[in-house]
Amino acid sequence: MAKLTEPMKIFIVQSLACFETPQQVADSVKNNFKVEIERMQCANYDPTKPTGAKMSQKLKDLFYKTRKDFRANVEDIPLANKAFHFKELQKMYDDWGKNKMMKANVLKQAQGLIQMGGSSAKGGISAKEEVELQIKRLELEKLQREVNPPKERPPEEDYKLPLEPDEEIPREPIL
């Protein structure tokens, strides 16, 4: 095992917090610090794994802070940014010159990106998925009420009468 300096440890912890694999981190350390380390040595700096349980509290705090920041700032990643997508599509469109077929494909991709953005609700899901999710929530609530009925029936359920299969429908209103 190679002896790691403090900057190397910080680099490894931050890379792992950004969801890089231990092998990717080992390769990055070799490229950046000119020190060859094994991937198992990198894995020791991930507190979410059993091998990282003995890390110092300082490095654990750095790991969790970096991971939280990484997840919160997805828009900093170019591929997650729509402006980046449109810029790349524009480059592709310009590069195709007179090839109308390929230009049409690029335009379809841009149109799909526009439609995806227009119909997406909060959380990045489409309006259709949002409705389906709401229906599932209502069905789940109904099942929960059937399994664990409330102690008092709500007023809107007063008119509902449970009928047994052998019973007849009452002819007079029940008040």
Side-chain angles (χ1 to χ4, degrees):
M1 281 206 200
K3 176 102 172 113
L4 299 177
T5 63
E6 193 66 21
M8 289 175 164
K9 292 177 184 178
I10 291 171
F11 178 81
I12 292 169
V13 167
Q14 289 178 327
S15 298
L16 290 171
C18 293
F19 299 101
E20 289 189 22
T21 65
Q23 185 61 54
Q24 290 171 324
V25 176
D27 294 341
S28 295
V29 169
K30 184 178 180 182
N31 291 340
N32 293 338
F33 296 99
K34 311 296 186 236
V35 175
E36 193 162 334
I37 60 173
E38 296 178 19
R39 65 180 177 182
M40 285 306 295
Q41 190 173 0
C42 288
N44 292 336
Y45 290 93
D46 187 347
T48 62
K49 306 284 188 253
T51 57
K54 297 178 183 177
M55 277 175 57
S56 70
Q57 189 61 40
K58 176 184 159 189
L59 291 177
K60 285 181 183 179
D61 292 342
L62 176 65
F63 178 90
Y64 290 117
K65 181 185 178 308
T66 304
R67 180 154 287 179
K68 181 182 173 194
D69 291 344
F70 182 76
R71 285 184 168 159
N73 297 321
V74 173
E75 287 296 320
D76 292 343
I77 301 170
L79 282 176
N81 193 328
K82 283 188 187 176
F84 174 82
H85 284 277
F86 284 118
K87 182 177 164 190
E88 291 300 310
L89 287 172
Q90 182 63 47
K91 284 181 193 175
M92 290 168 55
Y93 184 82
D94 293 340
D95 288 345
W96 285 113
K98 293 183 179 181
N99 189 335
K100 292 180 182 179
M101 192 69 158
M102 294 309 288
K103 280 186 166 188
N105 287 340
V106 171
L107 289 174
K108 278 184 188 176
Q109 287 179 337
Q111 183 181 14
L113 191 61
I114 290 169
Q115 287 176 346
M116 183 179 72
S119 68
S120 70
K122 62 182 180 193
I125 59 176
S126 69
K128 179 182 175 188
E129 291 170 330
E130 182 73 27
V131 169
E132 290 173 354
L133 188 62
Q134 188 64 27
I135 290 171
K136 297 270 188 220
R137 281 188 195 127
L138 292 172
E139 289 173 354
L140 181 62
E141 287 174 12
K142 180 181 177 189
L143 287 173
Q144 287 174 339
R145 280 193 311 269
E146 289 175 5
V147 171
N148 298 323
K151 292 180 177 130
E152 296 179 5
R153 287 188 351 182
E156 65 268 6
E157 292 185 12
D158 282 343
Y159 67 91
K160 296 180 184 174
L161 294 174
L163 296 177
E164 299 299 322
D166 297 337
E167 276 187 70
E168 292 185 22
I169 299 174
R171 296 185 194 282
E172 297 177 13
I174 299 173
L175 301 172

